[in-house]
Amino acid sequence: MKVTVSLIKADVGSLCGHHIVHPKQLDLAKEILEEEKRRGILIDYYVFNCGDDLELLMTHGKGENSSEIHGLAWNVFKEVTEKISRPLKLYAAGQDLLKEAFSGNIKGMGPGVAEMEIDERPSEPLLVFAADKTEPGAWNLPLYRIFADPMSTAGLVIDPAMSGGFTFRVVDMKEGEYIDLKCPAETYELIALLGTPGRYAVERVFRSSDGLIAAVASTSRLSFIAGRYVGKDDPVLMVRAQAGLPAVGEVLAPFAFPHLVAGWMRGSHHGPLMPVSLKDAKCTFFDGPPRVIGLGFQLRNGELIGLHSNEPADLFEDVAFNEARRKAMEIADYMRRHGEIAPALLGPEELEYTGIVKIMEKIKSRFKKIT
Ligand code: F6R
Ligand code: MG
Ligand code: MG
């Protein structure tokens, strides 16, 4: 059976600064999606948040880039903004809605989108990741480890179904172009791009032997759309697992290393990506550190099967990730001791979208030639 899974998210305002989505925002989003499910537009949905980002996970039969589904998501973000964020005077109400009117495709309008139309397998484990206070390139290192590093994913060595390797679709987010690179043959070229996560990010991963979609991520950069700093893009990612794809544990293991990502306070700092449970998906310390949550589902004819009351498995709730969290806080403290000095602070290319440009402008005329 063909099913489309759409994960569309936006920051449309939050409680106590850029901290956490308000329960009333979640409730209204659920109410609207429940009605769309009743009308038969959606097969199923799950509404959640990662910090100040409202995340809509939807399944349906309308394919990728469906204007009906994109329009529905845009409408949810608009309604939540007008009926909850603004009346409650939540912070940065409607922040990610960069365009006035919906014009058929939500991509390029502010919200982040990850979508895949798949042939649902006899059993389909689906992992859904969302991050706060970082950018799409944050997935580069874990996706490389999951799908291209045989020292991390044992299946690349042990499972014959994976020995043909995986193809990475990498997007140049600045130029709006993409390239497909087939690994292991083009591993070095892949790493050459992934090493610049501010510009290049993985949009999709395919199993090379049959083209099966294995992963899909959001790759829009708000600053490239708006031409100024709006907020970080706070990306999402979906990964299919098992039976000829990396096992759930092989997908999760790379997140035990809290690697440095761009974002954090004012979208201007490098900080560790900390894997947390749903209840800990809220950024506090220096507006961070950047966080990632992981949710586990089984698909059943497009239905999102979870645990009690159909809640997904909260994958990073496990004690196995305690050490990663402890290490992340140690790294966070170490990075903060650098204050506002690079590489704790991002490089000039990234900062050109922030307010620091105005500060530089102000003092520019006072520079004198060295004689
Ligand atoms: C990062 C983020 C926050 C804000 C910071 C300042 O993505 O959203 O770190 O940049 O809290 O926010 P303003 O300028 O709105 O006071
Ligand atoms: Mg915010
Ligand atoms: Mg956010």
Side-chain angles (χ1 to χ4, degrees):
M1 175 190 173
K2 277 221 183 295
V3 176
T4 308
V5 191
S6 300
L7 178 53
I8 307 186
K9 50 83 46 185
D11 176 346
V12 289
S14 48
L15 179 90
C16 202
H18 295 280
H19 177 205
I20 194 163
V21 166
H22 192 282
K24 286 188 174 167
Q25 293 176 297
L26 293 167
D27 288 347
L28 179 56
K30 281 179 204 164
E31 206 180 287
I32 300 171
L33 296 192
E34 181 63 34
E35 173 60 16
E36 297 301 327
K37 184 176 167 181
R38 200 194 55 75
R39 288 179 57 220
I41 306 297
L42 297 179
I43 302 173
D44 208 354
Y45 69 90
Y46 184 69
V47 173
F48 61 105
N49 74 295
C50 184
D52 59 4
D53 294 286
L54 178 60
E55 324 267 352
L56 313 176
L57 176 64
M58 299 169 285
T59 57
H60 53 92
K62 299 182 184 295
E64 294 176 26
N65 294 313
S66 150
S67 62
E68 191 173 5
I69 300 300
H70 284 209
L72 164 57
W74 180 260
N75 181 44
V76 171
F77 296 136
K78 275 278 183 204
E79 290 273 299
V80 170
T81 300
E82 300 310 327
K83 294 196 172 140
I84 311 289
S85 311
R86 293 202 203 285
L88 290 184
K89 290 184 75 176
L90 294 179
Y91 196 67
Q95 176 189 275
D96 287 357
L97 308 181
L98 301 179
K99 304 276 158 82
E100 271 306 310
F102 179 71
S103 56
N105 192 314
I106 203 167
K107 281 183 191 158
M109 300 187 73
V113 183
E115 278 187 308
M116 55 182 172
E117 185 179 39
I118 60 171
D119 269 316
E120 190 179 299
R121 297 174 294 164
S123 183
E124 188 64 70
L126 176 72
L127 290 86
V128 173
F129 296 94
D132 190 27
K133 305 292 185 267
T134 189
E135 62 186 19
W139 306 128
N140 285 6
L141 183 58
L143 282 174
Y144 168 75
R145 291 251 160 85
I146 295 164
F147 291 106
D149 183 355
M151 290 299 195
S152 183
T153 289
L156 291 167
V157 179
I158 295 172
D159 184 350
M162 270 191 262
S163 54
F166 289 88
T167 299
F168 288 68
R169 178 161 297 173
V170 180
V171 171
D172 177 341
M173 294 176 285
K174 205 163 190 173
E175 295 299 327
E177 297 174 342
Y178 72 85
I179 181 171
D180 288 344
L181 293 167
K182 196 165 183 264
C183 293
E186 296 181 297
T187 302
Y188 299 163
E189 289 83 350
L190 176 71
I191 295 173
L193 296 180
L194 299 192
T196 307
R199 177 159 177 181
Y200 301 102
V202 180
E203 195 268 329
R204 220 161 260 259
V205 181
F206 305 93
R207 186 164 62 189
S208 300
S209 59
D210 57 1
L212 178 136
I213 299 175
V216 56
S218 61
T219 53
S220 55
R221 292 284 317 263
L222 286 164
S223 56
F224 292 161
I225 298 170
R228 64 187 157 87
Y229 179 72
V230 183
K232 265 296 173 206
D233 319 285
D234 304 334
V236 289
L237 165 69
M238 295 191 283
V239 182
R240 298 165 78 188
Q242 307 288 156
L245 292 175
V248 168
E250 290 168 334
V251 177
L252 296 176
F255 290 96
F257 171 61
H259 65 294
L260 289 175
V261 297
W264 206 354
M265 174 57 77
R266 298 178 187 277
S268 307
H269 297 82
H270 284 120
L273 186 64
M274 184 161 80
V276 294
S277 68
L278 260 174
K279 75 168 174 30
D280 292 322
K282 48 193 170 195
C283 289
T284 53
F285 173 70
F286 201 57
D287 283 3
R291 281 159 213 237
V292 56
I293 55 173
L295 307 179
F297 297 92
Q298 286 289 144
L299 282 183
R300 183 183 61 182
N301 303 328
E303 208 185 321
L304 293 157
I305 303 295
L307 299 165
H308 308 293
S309 324
N310 242 4
E311 285 295 307
D314 190 349
L315 300 165
F316 293 134
E317 198 182 31
D318 188 7
V319 290
F321 286 91
N322 284 351
E323 185 55 20
R325 292 188 265 274
R326 197 201 55 76
K327 193 164 279 165
M329 282 317 298
E330 192 183 314
I331 296 165
D333 176 57
Y334 173 85
M335 294 305 283
R336 282 313 303 138
R337 288 198 196 191
H338 293 78
E340 297 311 295
I341 308 292
L345 192 71
L346 301 188
E349 237 182 68
E350 293 294 318
L351 291 178
E352 83 182 70
Y353 295 98
T354 70
I356 210 164
V357 178
K358 288 206 176 84
I359 310 281
M360 297 295 194
E361 274 301 315
K362 207 171 110 194
I363 57 171
K364 204 173 149 194
S365 62
R366 291 173 49 197
F367 276 93
K368 296 187 174 69
K369 268 270 169 276
I370 300 168
T371 49

